[in-house]
Amino acid sequence: MARSEIRCELSWSASRAREFDRCRRESWYARYASWGWWTERPRGEKWRAMVHKNLTSLPAFTGDCVHRAIEGWFRARARGATLDAEELFVEARALFRTGWRQSAGGGWEQRPNKSVHLDEHHYREPIEKARTDAARDLLLQSSRTFCEHPDLEPVRASEPDSWRAIEALDSFELEGVKVYAVPDLAYERDGVLEIVDWKTGKPREEDRLQLGIYALYAHAKWGTPFDRVRLTAAYLGAGEVKRVPVDAAWLDEVRATAAESIARLAELHYDPDVEDTDLDRWPTDGAPRACRWCRFRGICEGALEGNGGGGSGEGQG
Ligand code: SF4
């Protein structure tokens, strides 16, 4: 077996944990089936798995456009310009249109791991106008919430020298494992580290876990005491800004939840460069519940055997 230059090491993130809990086979496709695709000649199963791994849904893509537009808002602010809601919306819409063209027009094929490739385009499923209208409304409402919600005024007024992280992928160690963290915004205000997460979906209980992980990350990265961390979930689409109280007991729970999840992932982790795959260890336990929306439904036996309730077209992947 050809060895990759880099090793397939166990790592953890809140989204990886959700994926694993949804379906172990999905986790295998995403983390192991595509491993080493960049060395595969000629292109084959690894490449195919990587293409499916990079599929995104319309709501997730729309949310990503909001995140990137806000990141651009901060870049403009650092240059001394402040975009209003309409200007932010125009930025987000431009990102959406660019990504849409890349996905629908096949431009993603040049660099599938770095491009927008919508699940709906891949599986040739119709996207009703109501859904694109809803995406547009989400871009607009999110832009308004960011630029106009009174509770986000301190964010908008923050000075660039107070910013500690903006959409920066980073990691820290927990239970001896690399844990990824990408806080949307971390900045200092009156001696407190404010961490804000932009959300374009509905409030979910698991959002609190994600924010708790950011508090652990801030402690590991900057040594910020927990009583100097403030966590905020900004539900931009819903126009709601919620504080998540931080206390030691809750953070112990967050740490314990992450540790349990890491242990579950560690039990199955293997190095596909040097070990054989035992698919029995990665059952299709998400089927049929999770198959309809799973990006691997076109190649996975769990869906293809007919118990997945979807995944009709295999598309170009
Ligand atoms: S298609 Fe279904 S069984 Fe297969 S990985 Fe996805 S959720 Fe799991």
Side-chain angles (χ1 to χ4, degrees), residues 164-200:
R164 292 291 164 266
I166 297 172
E167 298 280 351
L169 173 64
D170 204 352
S171 63
F172 68 109
E173 205 168 283
L174 197 65
E175 303 289 313
V177 166
K178 184 190 274 192
V179 169
Y180 286 107
V182 195
D184 294 334
L185 171 67
Y187 72 104
E188 283 186 19
R189 178 180 166 224
D190 301 332
V192 169
L193 186 76
E194 301 268 3
I195 299 178
V196 189
D197 213 16
W198 315 123
K199 298 285 183 197
T200 51

PDB file of all heavy atoms in Angstrom, residues 164-200:
ATOM      1  N   ARG A 164      -8.972  38.848  17.906  1.00  0.00           N
ATOM      2  CA  ARG A 164      -8.017  37.754  18.133  1.00  0.00           C
ATOM      3  C   ARG A 164      -8.124  36.670  17.054  1.00  0.00           C
ATOM      4  O   ARG A 164      -7.128  36.026  16.719  1.00  0.00           O
ATOM      5  CB  ARG A 164      -8.264  37.117  19.513  1.00  0.00           C
ATOM      6  CG  ARG A 164      -7.933  38.027  20.673  1.00  0.00           C
ATOM      7  CD  ARG A 164      -6.423  38.269  20.800  1.00  0.00           C
ATOM      8  NE  ARG A 164      -6.151  39.409  21.654  1.00  0.00           N
ATOM      9  CZ  ARG A 164      -5.960  40.656  21.227  1.00  0.00           C
ATOM     10  NH1 ARG A 164      -5.985  40.925  19.921  1.00  0.00           N
ATOM     11  NH2 ARG A 164      -5.726  41.630  22.069  1.00  0.00           N
ATOM     12  N   ALA A 165      -9.309  36.455  16.560  1.00  0.00           N
ATOM     13  CA  ALA A 165      -9.478  35.427  15.517  1.00  0.00           C
ATOM     14  C   ALA A 165     -10.752  35.723  14.727  1.00  0.00           C
ATOM     15  O   ALA A 165     -11.772  36.088  15.309  1.00  0.00           O
ATOM     16  CB  ALA A 165      -9.582  34.039  16.148  1.00  0.00           C
ATOM     17  N   ILE A 166     -10.642  35.592  13.420  1.00  0.00           N
ATOM     18  CA  ILE A 166     -11.820  35.729  12.560  1.00  0.00           C
ATOM     19  C   ILE A 166     -11.794  34.569  11.565  1.00  0.00           C
ATOM     20  O   ILE A 166     -10.924  34.518  10.692  1.00  0.00           O
ATOM     21  CB  ILE A 166     -11.821  37.083  11.812  1.00  0.00           C
ATOM     22  CG1 ILE A 166     -11.913  38.237  12.817  1.00  0.00           C
ATOM     23  CG2 ILE A 166     -12.975  37.144  10.805  1.00  0.00           C
ATOM     24  CD1 ILE A 166     -11.728  39.607  12.213  1.00  0.00           C
ATOM     25  N   GLU A 167     -12.707  33.633  11.763  1.00  0.00           N
ATOM     26  CA  GLU A 167     -12.818  32.472  10.858  1.00  0.00           C
ATOM     27  C   GLU A 167     -11.479  31.750  10.665  1.00  0.00           C
ATOM     28  O   GLU A 167     -11.182  31.293   9.563  1.00  0.00           O
ATOM     29  CB  GLU A 167     -13.355  32.900   9.484  1.00  0.00           C
ATOM     30  CG  GLU A 167     -14.735  33.500   9.491  1.00  0.00           C
ATOM     31  CD  GLU A 167     -15.858  32.469   9.550  1.00  0.00           C
ATOM     32  OE1 GLU A 167     -15.566  31.272   9.414  1.00  0.00           O
ATOM     33  OE2 GLU A 167     -17.010  32.875   9.775  1.00  0.00           O
ATOM     34  N   ALA A 168     -10.669  31.711  11.712  1.00  0.00           N
ATOM     35  CA  ALA A 168      -9.341  31.096  11.581  1.00  0.00           C
ATOM     36  C   ALA A 168      -9.391  29.638  12.042  1.00  0.00           C
ATOM     37  O   ALA A 168      -9.731  29.367  13.202  1.00  0.00           O
ATOM     38  CB  ALA A 168      -8.328  31.878  12.410  1.00  0.00           C
ATOM     39  N   LEU A 169      -9.052  28.728  11.134  1.00  0.00           N
ATOM     40  CA  LEU A 169      -8.990  27.315  11.513  1.00  0.00           C
ATOM     41  C   LEU A 169      -7.785  27.096  12.412  1.00  0.00           C
ATOM     42  O   LEU A 169      -6.661  27.444  12.059  1.00  0.00           O
ATOM     43  CB  LEU A 169      -8.857  26.442  10.261  1.00  0.00           C
ATOM     44  CG  LEU A 169      -8.623  24.946  10.504  1.00  0.00           C
ATOM     45  CD1 LEU A 169      -9.800  24.299  11.211  1.00  0.00           C
ATOM     46  CD2 LEU A 169      -8.343  24.221   9.196  1.00  0.00           C
ATOM     47  N   ASP A 170      -8.020  26.545  13.586  1.00  0.00           N
ATOM     48  CA  ASP A 170      -6.926  26.288  14.514  1.00  0.00           C
ATOM     49  C   ASP A 170      -7.254  25.002  15.272  1.00  0.00           C
ATOM     50  O   ASP A 170      -8.317  24.401  15.061  1.00  0.00           O
ATOM     51  CB  ASP A 170      -6.771  27.489  15.468  1.00  0.00           C
ATOM     52  CG  ASP A 170      -5.365  27.568  16.040  1.00  0.00           C
ATOM     53  OD1 ASP A 170      -4.563  26.626  15.824  1.00  0.00           O
ATOM     54  OD2 ASP A 170      -5.061  28.553  16.731  1.00  0.00           O
ATOM     55  N   SER A 171      -6.365  24.599  16.126  1.00  0.00           N
ATOM     56  CA  SER A 171      -6.618  23.374  16.885  1.00  0.00           C
ATOM     57  C   SER A 171      -5.964  23.475  18.251  1.00  0.00           C
ATOM     58  O   SER A 171      -5.093  24.320  18.478  1.00  0.00           O
ATOM     59  CB  SER A 171      -6.065  22.162  16.122  1.00  0.00           C
ATOM     60  OG  SER A 171      -4.670  22.264  15.989  1.00  0.00           O
ATOM     61  N   PHE A 172      -6.391  22.625  19.142  1.00  0.00           N
ATOM     62  CA  PHE A 172      -5.746  22.484  20.438  1.00  0.00           C
ATOM     63  C   PHE A 172      -5.850  21.024  20.834  1.00  0.00           C
ATOM     64  O   PHE A 172      -6.480  20.233  20.115  1.00  0.00           O
ATOM     65  CB  PHE A 172      -6.376  23.415  21.480  1.00  0.00           C
ATOM     66  CG  PHE A 172      -7.789  23.077  21.867  1.00  0.00           C
ATOM     67  CD1 PHE A 172      -8.096  22.557  23.126  1.00  0.00           C
ATOM     68  CD2 PHE A 172      -8.843  23.285  20.975  1.00  0.00           C
ATOM     69  CE1 PHE A 172      -9.408  22.253  23.479  1.00  0.00           C
ATOM     70  CE2 PHE A 172     -10.153  22.982  21.331  1.00  0.00           C
ATOM     71  CZ  PHE A 172     -10.426  22.481  22.576  1.00  0.00           C
ATOM     72  N   GLU A 173      -5.240  20.669  21.936  1.00  0.00           N
ATOM     73  CA  GLU A 173      -5.219  19.257  22.298  1.00  0.00           C
ATOM     74  C   GLU A 173      -6.169  18.960  23.446  1.00  0.00           C
ATOM     75  O   GLU A 173      -6.229  19.724  24.418  1.00  0.00           O
ATOM     76  CB  GLU A 173      -3.793  18.848  22.673  1.00  0.00           C
ATOM     77  CG  GLU A 173      -3.575  17.373  22.469  1.00  0.00           C
ATOM     78  CD  GLU A 173      -2.098  16.985  22.546  1.00  0.00           C
ATOM     79  OE1 GLU A 173      -1.363  17.226  21.570  1.00  0.00           O
ATOM     80  OE2 GLU A 173      -1.734  16.450  23.590  1.00  0.00           O
ATOM     81  N   LEU A 174      -6.915  17.881  23.289  1.00  0.00           N
ATOM     82  CA  LEU A 174      -7.817  17.422  24.348  1.00  0.00           C
ATOM     83  C   LEU A 174      -7.720  15.902  24.362  1.00  0.00           C
ATOM     84  O   LEU A 174      -7.811  15.275  23.298  1.00  0.00           O
ATOM     85  CB  LEU A 174      -9.241  17.870  24.006  1.00  0.00           C
ATOM     86  CG  LEU A 174     -10.281  17.862  25.118  1.00  0.00           C
ATOM     87  CD1 LEU A 174      -9.949  18.868  26.212  1.00  0.00           C
ATOM     88  CD2 LEU A 174     -11.655  18.192  24.536  1.00  0.00           C
ATOM     89  N   GLU A 175      -7.521  15.337  25.542  1.00  0.00           N
ATOM     90  CA  GLU A 175      -7.392  13.871  25.637  1.00  0.00           C
ATOM     91  C   GLU A 175      -6.313  13.349  24.688  1.00  0.00           C
ATOM     92  O   GLU A 175      -6.443  12.262  24.118  1.00  0.00           O
ATOM     93  CB  GLU A 175      -8.723  13.182  25.309  1.00  0.00           C
ATOM     94  CG  GLU A 175      -9.877  13.606  26.160  1.00  0.00           C
ATOM     95  CD  GLU A 175      -9.774  13.098  27.590  1.00  0.00           C
ATOM     96  OE1 GLU A 175      -9.490  11.914  27.780  1.00  0.00           O
ATOM     97  OE2 GLU A 175      -9.951  13.913  28.502  1.00  0.00           O
ATOM     98  N   GLY A 176      -5.268  14.153  24.459  1.00  0.00           N
ATOM     99  CA  GLY A 176      -4.170  13.726  23.595  1.00  0.00           C
ATOM    100  C   GLY A 176      -4.504  13.740  22.113  1.00  0.00           C
ATOM    101  O   GLY A 176      -3.739  13.220  21.292  1.00  0.00           O
ATOM    102  N   VAL A 177      -5.638  14.322  21.756  1.00  0.00           N
ATOM    103  CA  VAL A 177      -6.081  14.328  20.356  1.00  0.00           C
ATOM    104  C   VAL A 177      -6.211  15.770  19.873  1.00  0.00           C
ATOM    105  O   VAL A 177      -6.587  16.661  20.633  1.00  0.00           O
ATOM    106  CB  VAL A 177      -7.438  13.577  20.248  1.00  0.00           C
ATOM    107  CG1 VAL A 177      -8.117  13.827  18.915  1.00  0.00           C
ATOM    108  CG2 VAL A 177      -7.215  12.081  20.451  1.00  0.00           C
ATOM    109  N   LYS A 178      -5.898  15.970  18.575  1.00  0.00           N
ATOM    110  CA  LYS A 178      -6.047  17.299  18.001  1.00  0.00           C
ATOM    111  C   LYS A 178      -7.537  17.620  17.836  1.00  0.00           C
ATOM    112  O   LYS A 178      -8.278  16.856  17.211  1.00  0.00           O
ATOM    113  CB  LYS A 178      -5.358  17.334  16.633  1.00  0.00           C
ATOM    114  CG  LYS A 178      -5.378  18.709  16.000  1.00  0.00           C
ATOM    115  CD  LYS A 178      -4.922  18.653  14.563  1.00  0.00           C
ATOM    116  CE  LYS A 178      -3.413  18.756  14.473  1.00  0.00           C
ATOM    117  NZ  LYS A 178      -2.969  18.981  13.070  1.00  0.00           N
ATOM    118  N   VAL A 179      -7.940  18.735  18.421  1.00  0.00           N
ATOM    119  CA  VAL A 179      -9.339  19.165  18.337  1.00  0.00           C
ATOM    120  C   VAL A 179      -9.385  20.454  17.512  1.00  0.00           C
ATOM    121  O   VAL A 179      -8.707  21.428  17.833  1.00  0.00           O
ATOM    122  CB  VAL A 179      -9.927  19.410  19.750  1.00  0.00           C
ATOM    123  CG1 VAL A 179     -11.284  20.103  19.672  1.00  0.00           C
ATOM    124  CG2 VAL A 179     -10.053  18.083  20.499  1.00  0.00           C
ATOM    125  N   TYR A 180     -10.161  20.419  16.450  1.00  0.00           N
ATOM    126  CA  TYR A 180     -10.252  21.601  15.584  1.00  0.00           C
ATOM    127  C   TYR A 180     -11.253  22.607  16.129  1.00  0.00           C
ATOM    128  O   TYR A 180     -12.309  22.225  16.655  1.00  0.00           O
ATOM    129  CB  TYR A 180     -10.654  21.194  14.162  1.00  0.00           C
ATOM    130  CG  TYR A 180      -9.534  20.534  13.403  1.00  0.00           C
ATOM    131  CD1 TYR A 180      -9.538  19.168  13.158  1.00  0.00           C
ATOM    132  CD2 TYR A 180      -8.453  21.295  12.968  1.00  0.00           C
ATOM    133  CE1 TYR A 180      -8.486  18.561  12.481  1.00  0.00           C
ATOM    134  CE2 TYR A 180      -7.405  20.700  12.286  1.00  0.00           C
ATOM    135  CZ  TYR A 180      -7.423  19.337  12.050  1.00  0.00           C
ATOM    136  OH  TYR A 180      -6.382  18.747  11.395  1.00  0.00           O
ATOM    137  N   ALA A 181     -10.911  23.862  15.977  1.00  0.00           N
ATOM    138  CA  ALA A 181     -11.810  24.936  16.390  1.00  0.00           C
ATOM    139  C   ALA A 181     -11.698  26.065  15.374  1.00  0.00           C
ATOM    140  O   ALA A 181     -10.589  26.439  14.984  1.00  0.00           O
ATOM    141  CB  ALA A 181     -11.438  25.437  17.783  1.00  0.00           C
ATOM    142  N   VAL A 182     -12.824  26.568  14.942  1.00  0.00           N
ATOM    143  CA  VAL A 182     -12.838  27.711  14.013  1.00  0.00           C
ATOM    144  C   VAL A 182     -13.822  28.749  14.562  1.00  0.00           C
ATOM    145  O   VAL A 182     -14.956  28.875  14.069  1.00  0.00           O
ATOM    146  CB  VAL A 182     -13.293  27.326  12.586  1.00  0.00           C
ATOM    147  CG1 VAL A 182     -12.951  28.434  11.591  1.00  0.00           C
ATOM    148  CG2 VAL A 182     -12.698  26.015  12.136  1.00  0.00           C
ATOM    149  N   PRO A 183     -13.415  29.488  15.598  1.00  0.00           N
ATOM    150  CA  PRO A 183     -14.356  30.499  16.094  1.00  0.00           C
ATOM    151  C   PRO A 183     -14.595  31.558  15.018  1.00  0.00           C
ATOM    152  O   PRO A 183     -13.650  32.023  14.381  1.00  0.00           O
ATOM    153  CB  PRO A 183     -13.640  31.091  17.314  1.00  0.00           C
ATOM    154  CG  PRO A 183     -12.233  30.628  17.248  1.00  0.00           C
ATOM    155  CD  PRO A 183     -12.155  29.460  16.321  1.00  0.00           C
ATOM    156  N   ASP A 184     -15.868  31.903  14.803  1.00  0.00           N
ATOM    157  CA  ASP A 184     -16.168  32.885  13.756  1.00  0.00           C
ATOM    158  C   ASP A 184     -15.565  34.236  14.109  1.00  0.00           C
ATOM    159  O   ASP A 184     -15.050  34.943  13.244  1.00  0.00           O
ATOM    160  CB  ASP A 184     -17.689  33.003  13.573  1.00  0.00           C
ATOM    161  CG  ASP A 184     -18.287  31.710  13.039  1.00  0.00           C
ATOM    162  OD1 ASP A 184     -17.543  30.965  12.370  1.00  0.00           O
ATOM    163  OD2 ASP A 184     -19.472  31.454  13.274  1.00  0.00           O
ATOM    164  N   LEU A 185     -15.659  34.593  15.370  1.00  0.00           N
ATOM    165  CA  LEU A 185     -15.060  35.856  15.824  1.00  0.00           C
ATOM    166  C   LEU A 185     -14.666  35.727  17.285  1.00  0.00           C
ATOM    167  O   LEU A 185     -15.459  35.244  18.113  1.00  0.00           O
ATOM    168  CB  LEU A 185     -16.082  37.002  15.685  1.00  0.00           C
ATOM    169  CG  LEU A 185     -15.661  38.331  16.321  1.00  0.00           C
ATOM    170  CD1 LEU A 185     -14.463  38.946  15.575  1.00  0.00           C
ATOM    171  CD2 LEU A 185     -16.823  39.333  16.338  1.00  0.00           C
ATOM    172  N   ALA A 186     -13.437  36.151  17.600  1.00  0.00           N
ATOM    173  CA  ALA A 186     -13.010  36.287  18.996  1.00  0.00           C
ATOM    174  C   ALA A 186     -12.367  37.659  19.108  1.00  0.00           C
ATOM    175  O   ALA A 186     -11.477  37.994  18.323  1.00  0.00           O
ATOM    176  CB  ALA A 186     -12.024  35.181  19.378  1.00  0.00           C
ATOM    177  N   TYR A 187     -12.851  38.456  20.049  1.00  0.00           N
ATOM    178  CA  TYR A 187     -12.250  39.778  20.236  1.00  0.00           C
ATOM    179  C   TYR A 187     -12.303  40.164  21.710  1.00  0.00           C
ATOM    180  O   TYR A 187     -13.091  39.604  22.485  1.00  0.00           O
ATOM    181  CB  TYR A 187     -12.946  40.841  19.367  1.00  0.00           C
ATOM    182  CG  TYR A 187     -14.333  41.245  19.811  1.00  0.00           C
ATOM    183  CD1 TYR A 187     -14.552  42.460  20.468  1.00  0.00           C
ATOM    184  CD2 TYR A 187     -15.426  40.427  19.568  1.00  0.00           C
ATOM    185  CE1 TYR A 187     -15.827  42.848  20.866  1.00  0.00           C
ATOM    186  CE2 TYR A 187     -16.698  40.806  19.969  1.00  0.00           C
ATOM    187  CZ  TYR A 187     -16.897  42.008  20.614  1.00  0.00           C
ATOM    188  OH  TYR A 187     -18.157  42.374  21.005  1.00  0.00           O
ATOM    189  N   GLU A 188     -11.463  41.110  22.088  1.00  0.00           N
ATOM    190  CA  GLU A 188     -11.411  41.508  23.486  1.00  0.00           C
ATOM    191  C   GLU A 188     -12.203  42.778  23.703  1.00  0.00           C
ATOM    192  O   GLU A 188     -12.146  43.703  22.888  1.00  0.00           O
ATOM    193  CB  GLU A 188      -9.958  41.706  23.917  1.00  0.00           C
ATOM    194  CG  GLU A 188      -9.293  40.375  24.158  1.00  0.00           C
ATOM    195  CD  GLU A 188      -7.890  40.514  24.734  1.00  0.00           C
ATOM    196  OE1 GLU A 188      -7.572  41.583  25.277  1.00  0.00           O
ATOM    197  OE2 GLU A 188      -7.137  39.544  24.590  1.00  0.00           O
ATOM    198  N   ARG A 189     -12.913  42.781  24.809  1.00  0.00           N
ATOM    199  CA  ARG A 189     -13.706  43.961  25.141  1.00  0.00           C
ATOM    200  C   ARG A 189     -13.738  44.100  26.657  1.00  0.00           C
ATOM    201  O   ARG A 189     -14.189  43.190  27.350  1.00  0.00           O
ATOM    202  CB  ARG A 189     -15.120  43.789  24.585  1.00  0.00           C
ATOM    203  CG  ARG A 189     -16.052  44.903  24.880  1.00  0.00           C
ATOM    204  CD  ARG A 189     -17.406  44.560  24.246  1.00  0.00           C
ATOM    205  NE  ARG A 189     -18.436  45.417  24.743  1.00  0.00           N
ATOM    206  CZ  ARG A 189     -19.639  45.021  25.116  1.00  0.00           C
ATOM    207  NH1 ARG A 189     -19.961  43.752  25.027  1.00  0.00           N
ATOM    208  NH2 ARG A 189     -20.528  45.867  25.541  1.00  0.00           N
ATOM    209  N   ASP A 190     -13.237  45.188  27.148  1.00  0.00           N
ATOM    210  CA  ASP A 190     -13.220  45.452  28.592  1.00  0.00           C
ATOM    211  C   ASP A 190     -12.618  44.290  29.379  1.00  0.00           C
ATOM    212  O   ASP A 190     -13.168  43.866  30.409  1.00  0.00           O
ATOM    213  CB  ASP A 190     -14.644  45.741  29.108  1.00  0.00           C
ATOM    214  CG  ASP A 190     -15.264  46.937  28.409  1.00  0.00           C
ATOM    215  OD1 ASP A 190     -14.496  47.827  27.970  1.00  0.00           O
ATOM    216  OD2 ASP A 190     -16.504  46.982  28.279  1.00  0.00           O
ATOM    217  N   GLY A 191     -11.524  43.740  28.878  1.00  0.00           N
ATOM    218  CA  GLY A 191     -10.839  42.669  29.607  1.00  0.00           C
ATOM    219  C   GLY A 191     -11.499  41.309  29.488  1.00  0.00           C
ATOM    220  O   GLY A 191     -11.120  40.356  30.179  1.00  0.00           O
ATOM    221  N   VAL A 192     -12.517  41.218  28.639  1.00  0.00           N
ATOM    222  CA  VAL A 192     -13.222  39.936  28.454  1.00  0.00           C
ATOM    223  C   VAL A 192     -13.014  39.480  27.019  1.00  0.00           C
ATOM    224  O   VAL A 192     -13.002  40.295  26.093  1.00  0.00           O
ATOM    225  CB  VAL A 192     -14.736  40.115  28.740  1.00  0.00           C
ATOM    226  CG1 VAL A 192     -15.531  38.895  28.291  1.00  0.00           C
ATOM    227  CG2 VAL A 192     -14.969  40.388  30.227  1.00  0.00           C
ATOM    228  N   LEU A 193     -12.827  38.171  26.834  1.00  0.00           N
ATOM    229  CA  LEU A 193     -12.732  37.641  25.470  1.00  0.00           C
ATOM    230  C   LEU A 193     -14.143  37.275  25.003  1.00  0.00           C
ATOM    231  O   LEU A 193     -14.784  36.396  25.582  1.00  0.00           O
ATOM    232  CB  LEU A 193     -11.833  36.408  25.426  1.00  0.00           C
ATOM    233  CG  LEU A 193     -11.590  35.892  24.003  1.00  0.00           C
ATOM    234  CD1 LEU A 193     -10.588  36.777  23.267  1.00  0.00           C
ATOM    235  CD2 LEU A 193     -11.102  34.448  24.025  1.00  0.00           C
ATOM    236  N   GLU A 194     -14.605  37.990  24.001  1.00  0.00           N
ATOM    237  CA  GLU A 194     -15.940  37.733  23.447  1.00  0.00           C
ATOM    238  C   GLU A 194     -15.783  36.772  22.262  1.00  0.00           C
ATOM    239  O   GLU A 194     -15.032  37.057  21.326  1.00  0.00           O
ATOM    240  CB  GLU A 194     -16.568  39.035  22.931  1.00  0.00           C
ATOM    241  CG  GLU A 194     -16.729  40.108  23.973  1.00  0.00           C
ATOM    242  CD  GLU A 194     -18.096  40.042  24.654  1.00  0.00           C
ATOM    243  OE1 GLU A 194     -18.874  39.124  24.329  1.00  0.00           O
ATOM    244  OE2 GLU A 194     -18.356  40.908  25.516  1.00  0.00           O
ATOM    245  N   ILE A 195     -16.501  35.663  22.322  1.00  0.00           N
ATOM    246  CA  ILE A 195     -16.486  34.713  21.200  1.00  0.00           C
ATOM    247  C   ILE A 195     -17.892  34.657  20.621  1.00  0.00           C
ATOM    248  O   ILE A 195     -18.864  34.425  21.357  1.00  0.00           O
ATOM    249  CB  ILE A 195     -16.033  33.313  21.660  1.00  0.00           C
ATOM    250  CG1 ILE A 195     -14.604  33.388  22.216  1.00  0.00           C
ATOM    251  CG2 ILE A 195     -16.102  32.312  20.508  1.00  0.00           C
ATOM    252  CD1 ILE A 195     -14.060  32.071  22.744  1.00  0.00           C
ATOM    253  N   VAL A 196     -17.974  34.915  19.327  1.00  0.00           N
ATOM    254  CA  VAL A 196     -19.297  34.981  18.687  1.00  0.00           C
ATOM    255  C   VAL A 196     -19.354  33.966  17.542  1.00  0.00           C
ATOM    256  O   VAL A 196     -18.419  33.868  16.740  1.00  0.00           O
ATOM    257  CB  VAL A 196     -19.577  36.395  18.126  1.00  0.00           C
ATOM    258  CG1 VAL A 196     -21.040  36.497  17.680  1.00  0.00           C
ATOM    259  CG2 VAL A 196     -19.267  37.475  19.158  1.00  0.00           C
ATOM    260  N   ASP A 197     -20.433  33.221  17.513  1.00  0.00           N
ATOM    261  CA  ASP A 197     -20.634  32.233  16.451  1.00  0.00           C
ATOM    262  C   ASP A 197     -21.819  32.688  15.596  1.00  0.00           C
ATOM    263  O   ASP A 197     -22.905  32.935  16.129  1.00  0.00           O
ATOM    264  CB  ASP A 197     -20.963  30.884  17.121  1.00  0.00           C
ATOM    265  CG  ASP A 197     -20.440  29.706  16.329  1.00  0.00           C
ATOM    266  OD1 ASP A 197     -19.575  29.913  15.454  1.00  0.00           O
ATOM    267  OD2 ASP A 197     -20.905  28.580  16.597  1.00  0.00           O
ATOM    268  N   TRP A 198     -21.602  32.825  14.296  1.00  0.00           N
ATOM    269  CA  TRP A 198     -22.704  33.187  13.398  1.00  0.00           C
ATOM    270  C   TRP A 198     -23.459  31.928  13.031  1.00  0.00           C
ATOM    271  O   TRP A 198     -22.864  30.955  12.573  1.00  0.00           O
ATOM    272  CB  TRP A 198     -22.192  33.852  12.117  1.00  0.00           C
ATOM    273  CG  TRP A 198     -21.155  34.890  12.315  1.00  0.00           C
ATOM    274  CD1 TRP A 198     -19.903  34.922  11.768  1.00  0.00           C
ATOM    275  CD2 TRP A 198     -21.269  36.071  13.114  1.00  0.00           C
ATOM    276  NE1 TRP A 198     -19.229  36.036  12.192  1.00  0.00           N
ATOM    277  CE2 TRP A 198     -20.045  36.762  13.008  1.00  0.00           C
ATOM    278  CE3 TRP A 198     -22.276  36.615  13.908  1.00  0.00           C
ATOM    279  CZ2 TRP A 198     -19.798  37.962  13.673  1.00  0.00           C
ATOM    280  CZ3 TRP A 198     -22.028  37.803  14.577  1.00  0.00           C
ATOM    281  CH2 TRP A 198     -20.816  38.459  14.443  1.00  0.00           C
ATOM    282  N   LYS A 199     -24.754  31.975  13.186  1.00  0.00           N
ATOM    283  CA  LYS A 199     -25.590  30.823  12.846  1.00  0.00           C
ATOM    284  C   LYS A 199     -26.640  31.264  11.843  1.00  0.00           C
ATOM    285  O   LYS A 199     -27.287  32.300  12.049  1.00  0.00           O
ATOM    286  CB  LYS A 199     -26.293  30.281  14.099  1.00  0.00           C
ATOM    287  CG  LYS A 199     -25.340  29.780  15.176  1.00  0.00           C
ATOM    288  CD  LYS A 199     -24.750  28.461  14.774  1.00  0.00           C
ATOM    289  CE  LYS A 199     -23.848  27.896  15.853  1.00  0.00           C
ATOM    290  NZ  LYS A 199     -22.971  26.849  15.320  1.00  0.00           N
ATOM    291  N   THR A 200     -26.813  30.469  10.797  1.00  0.00           N
ATOM    292  CA  THR A 200     -27.867  30.808   9.834  1.00  0.00           C
ATOM    293  C   THR A 200     -29.016  29.801   9.902  1.00  0.00           C
ATOM    294  O   THR A 200     -30.034  29.998   9.251  1.00  0.00           O
ATOM    295  CB  THR A 200     -27.304  30.869   8.392  1.00  0.00           C
ATOM    296  OG1 THR A 200     -26.580  29.678   8.126  1.00  0.00           O
ATOM    297  CG2 THR A 200     -26.414  32.081   8.214  1.00  0.00           C
TER     298      THR A 200
END
